[in-house]
């Protein structure tokens, strides 16, 4: 069940409707009633609490594994919210090398290079990665960290 909405000022709404009317996804009555029941019954609150606990456990497991494998070679910028966090790794390897090797080792990673301006130079002696944990099974976390350690060194 996916229901989404935007609140737009009238002038922006007019432009949005003109340019994106073909992508406006209207929700049907059954979906809205289902969401209403989900919220009213308390099931939505229980679902949110369960998902928060689940993802917090995965976050903790991933951070623990990173610290165990990389030790003092990492700095984790963890904000205990969301499904990603940033890690700085001490390494002399380039972003291009890391991205290429990650692809070979079947790891999906996001380097900060992806979010930087084209002309910015690479930092010396470290790289920064955005690590996500939403789509990884808990039993695969330690293996993924080991594969990452082979790439970064």
């Amino acid at each position: 069940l996916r229901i989404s909405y935007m609140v737009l000022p009238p002038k922006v709404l007019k432009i949005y409707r003109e340019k994106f009317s073909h992508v406006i996804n209207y929700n049907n009555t059954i979906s809205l009633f289902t969401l209403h029941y989900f919220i009213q019954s308390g099931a939505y609150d229980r679902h949110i609490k369960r998902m928060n606990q689940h993802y917090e456990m995965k976050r903790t497991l991933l951070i623990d594994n990173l610290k165990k494998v990389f030790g003092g070679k990492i700095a984790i910028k963890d904000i205990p919210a969301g499904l990603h966090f940033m890690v700085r790794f001490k390494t002399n390897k380039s972003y291009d090398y890391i991205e290429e090797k990650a692809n070979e080792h079947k790891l999906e990673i996001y380097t900060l290079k992806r979010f930087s301006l084209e002309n910015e130079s690479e930092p010396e002696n470290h790289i920064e990665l955005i690590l996500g944990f939403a789509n990884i099974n808990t039993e695969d976390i330690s293996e993924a960290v080991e594969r990452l350690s082979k790439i970064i060194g």
Side-chain angles (χ1 to χ4, degrees):
L1 178 66
R2 182 172 195 268
I3 296 177
S4 58
Y5 63 91
M6 286 190 292
V7 177
L8 301 172
K11 288 181 183 178
V12 176
L13 178 60
K14 183 178 185 225
I15 295 167
Y16 179 80
R17 284 183 173 158
E18 289 169 3
K19 293 189 179 208
F20 300 105
S21 63
H22 63 286
V23 294
I24 296 175
N25 185 10
Y26 294 99
N27 295 306
N28 63 45
T29 306
I30 292 174
S31 295
L32 293 174
F33 180 75
T34 302
L35 178 62
H36 172 77
Y37 177 77
F38 194 49
I39 292 169
Q40 289 295 91
S41 70
Y44 181 72
D45 284 338
R46 290 189 299 278
H47 172 72
I48 293 297
K49 286 178 186 172
R50 195 169 41 252
M51 290 296 96
N52 283 341
Q53 290 172 347
H54 172 73
Y55 288 120
E56 181 56 32
M57 186 264 310
K58 285 173 89 170
R59 172 193 305 281
T60 301
L61 183 61
L62 178 55
I63 289 172
D64 290 348
N65 273 269
L66 286 165
K67 287 178 178 178
K68 181 176 128 189
V69 171
F70 289 95
K73 295 181 181 179
I74 61 169
I76 299 172
K77 298 176 184 177
D78 182 32
I79 299 170
L83 301 173
H84 300 83
F85 55 86
M86 194 164 73
V87 183
R88 175 180 284 194
F89 295 86
K90 292 180 185 176
T91 184
N92 291 322
K93 296 177 180 162
S94 70
Y95 281 123
D96 289 337
Y97 174 86
I98 299 293
E99 289 170 346
E100 180 184 325
K101 292 298 179 185
N103 192 36
E104 289 175 16
H105 284 83
K106 300 187 184 338
L107 284 174
E108 185 177 349
I109 61 166
Y110 299 107
T111 67
L112 276 199
K113 178 183 171 189
R114 178 180 181 176
F115 304 101
S116 298
L117 299 174
E118 288 181 32
N119 296 332
E120 288 190 15
S121 61
E122 290 202 11
E124 292 185 29
N125 303 319
H126 75 273
I127 60 160
E128 292 179 299
L129 303 180
I130 306 292
L131 298 183
F133 51 89
N135 293 326
I136 188 169
N137 294 322
T138 54
E139 59 271 9
D140 298 331
I141 288 176
S142 63
E143 180 194 339
V145 171
E146 287 295 330
R147 283 189 279 155
L148 185 61
S149 74
K150 290 176 184 171
I151 296 167
I152 295 176

